Amino acid sequence: MAMTALPEITDTSALYLSVQQFYARHMHLLDSGRAREWADTFAPDGTFTAPGLDAPVRGREALATAVEQTHARLAASGETHRHWHGMVWATPAADGTAHVKCYGMVIAVTADGTPRLHRHCLCEDVLVPAPAEPEGWLVQSRHVTPDAAPAGH
């Protein structure tokens, strides 16, 4: 039996670690209601597309306003949302950006601490390098889609 050559392995561990650290801060800001700081983790013209939105949310001001409204609505209902990104796959691009695919879960937590899965989705981000930022990245675009089984399954 002939041995086939293994593909060249490119070490992306530093990229992966920096993206994970970025997401940790990014999601903590979101979940704690720090909408303006969370919006600042997007590029000034960054976009967010998700189910239920009529059009992409574009720009930091619009992103912050949307999060402030959602956080107020959740607080009034006695519920908190916790965002969890897992199975993060970060791929470097030639232009210095990082293309990231991951699974996203939103866990709703009631006032008594009872959790339930609110949403499971696929998240695709394009991150742009931002050396002046704490974790070195900004979201240029985020595209969120429901994680549904393929038709026929």
Side-chain angles (χ1 to χ4, degrees), residues 37-49:
E37 290 173 82
W38 176 81
D40 285 345
T41 66
F42 280 77
D45 61 343
T47 59
F48 183 97
T49 305

Side-chain angles (χ1 to χ4, degrees), residues 90-153:
T91 305
D95 63 359
T97 62
H99 293 242
V100 183
K101 293 181 181 184
C102 63
Y103 298 124
M105 288 188 289
V106 180
I107 301 159
V109 183
T110 61
D112 70 358
T114 303
R116 69 175 168 74
L117 182 60
H118 172 70
R119 180 171 291 134
H120 193 274
C121 49
L122 305 174
C123 181
E124 296 182 62
D125 283 354
V126 174
L127 304 180
V128 294
E133 296 301 315
E135 283 75 38
W137 297 105
L138 293 173
V139 178
Q140 182 61 58
S141 64
R142 171 163 297 152
H143 185 70
V144 178
T145 55
D147 186 11
H153 286 110

Side-chain angles (χ1 to χ4, degrees), residues 2-152:
M3 295 283 288
T4 56
L6 294 174
E8 180 181 335
I9 296 173
T10 304
D11 185 2
T12 58
S13 58
L15 171 65
Y16 177 79
L17 184 60
S18 71
V19 167
Q20 284 282 55
Q21 184 66 18
F22 170 79
Y23 281 141
R25 179 173 176 267
H26 180 76
M27 295 305 169
H28 277 277
L29 292 171
L30 176 62
D31 292 344
S32 65
R34 294 161 65 183
R36 301 286 162 178
E37 290 173 82
W38 176 81
D40 285 345
T41 66
F42 280 77
D45 61 343
T47 59
F48 183 97
T49 305
L53 297 176
D54 295 332
V57 179
R58 181 177 305 277
R60 290 175 173 167
E61 185 62 33
L63 289 160
T65 298
V67 168
E68 287 168 344
Q69 291 169 350
T70 299
H71 198 265
R73 180 179 49 76
L74 289 170
S77 73
E79 194 169 87
T80 299
H81 280 183
R82 299 292 185 219
H83 293 75
W84 190 273
H85 275 185
M87 305 316 299
V88 175
W89 179 16
T91 305
D95 63 359
T97 62
H99 293 242
V100 183
K101 293 181 181 184
C102 63
Y103 298 124
M105 288 188 289
V106 180
I107 301 159
V109 183
T110 61
D112 70 358
T114 303
R116 69 175 168 74
L117 182 60
H118 172 70
R119 180 171 291 134
H120 193 274
C121 49
L122 305 174
C123 181
E124 296 182 62
D125 283 354
V126 174
L127 304 180
V128 294
E133 296 301 315
E135 283 75 38
W137 297 105
L138 293 173
V139 178
Q140 182 61 58
S141 64
R142 171 163 297 152
H143 185 70
V144 178
T145 55
D147 186 11

